[in-house]
Amino acid sequence: MGTRLLSEKLVKTRFPHLRYIRIHTSDKYKATIYAWTEDLQLSKQDALYVENYANAYLYPYVVFQVKAYCAVRADKVPLLQEVPADITQTALRSNLNQYGILAAINRQFPYGRLRFKHYDVINSIIHFDFDALRRMEEKEKEHMLRCLHEMIPLGCFCEVQFLEDEM
């Protein structure tokens, strides 16, 4: 599965002169690569090379476009927020699958179990259920969603239904 972190690493490795790289799922099955050199520039040639590379070698289910990094603000791309190191390491695995995602979340949130529910192919949404053993605060739910967003494939979105035991 092609996560944001793994994709950024691959692009940085292939184009080391690009200092700033950010990849964001812009729509279902679409992702935008934002890039700049050290001089805060993105030439048309670099944009074309990165776009051709991404569309040919990254993930066949995602259409990539490339923009200058300054477009992040105009496109209202959310700010990056920290996630635990375990989540980052999981997201960087090239062999990541749904079982790896479930295991990583269940390690981070041991007071419940995340289960894969179904994948909505038309809307590119992965649906999960989280069977919580206690009532979860909104901050905890938001944190789980941030972690999941780092581990799901580019071009996909996710939703979690929180099922809480009333004690």
Side-chain angles (χ1 to χ4, degrees):
M1 277 195 264
T3 66
R4 177 190 70 81
L5 289 169
L6 179 59
S7 302
E8 287 177 2
K9 179 181 175 187
L10 293 170
V11 171
K12 285 176 184 178
T13 300
R14 177 67 177 88
F15 301 95
H17 68 285
L18 295 176
R19 177 146 160 70
Y20 303 97
I21 301 284
R22 173 80 190 276
I23 302 178
H24 176 70
T25 294
S26 48
D27 202 356
K28 58 184 177 184
Y29 303 111
K30 294 181 182 176
T32 303
I33 301 172
Y34 300 92
W36 262 352
T37 63
E38 182 76 31
D39 300 328
L40 308 181
Q41 300 291 321
L42 179 67
S43 70
K44 289 182 181 180
Q45 184 177 5
D46 277 340
L48 182 63
Y49 286 157
V50 172
E51 188 171 308
N52 287 341
Y53 166 77
N55 285 309
Y57 296 106
L58 289 184
Y59 316 109
Y61 56 85
V62 178
V63 175
F64 291 91
Q65 65 176 339
V66 178
K67 293 184 178 183
Y69 201 94
C70 59
V72 165
R73 178 176 280 161
D75 290 352
K76 296 181 172 107
V77 175
L79 295 173
L80 288 176
Q81 297 187 355
E82 292 241 356
V83 293
D86 180 50
I87 298 297
T88 300
Q89 290 170 346
T90 300
L92 286 168
R93 288 182 15 209
S94 60
N95 64 347
L96 181 61
N97 59 25
Q98 74 183 47
Y99 304 108
I101 293 171
L102 296 176
I105 291 294
N106 290 331
R107 282 191 302 273
Q108 289 296 315
F109 300 89
Y111 42 82
R113 294 295 306 144
L114 185 72
R115 292 181 291 116
F116 173 76
K117 189 173 181 183
H118 74 279
Y119 177 57
D120 176 354
V121 176
I122 294 170
N123 295 304
S124 188
I125 300 173
I126 303 168
H127 294 270
F128 297 97
D129 284 340
F130 186 74
D131 296 309
L133 301 174
R134 63 167 175 80
R135 187 171 227 36
M136 292 180 65
E137 296 179 20
E138 285 305 310
K139 285 182 120 179
E140 292 174 303
K141 292 176 183 180
E142 291 169 10
H143 180 63
M144 181 184 291
L145 285 169
R146 271 196 310 278
C147 292
L148 279 168
H149 283 288
E150 289 299 344
M151 294 186 292
I152 64 171
L154 282 173
C156 292
F157 302 96
C158 70
E159 292 181 0
V160 178
Q161 182 175 3
F162 293 92
L163 310 168
E164 299 168 339
D165 282 348
E166 295 296 326
M167 296 187 172

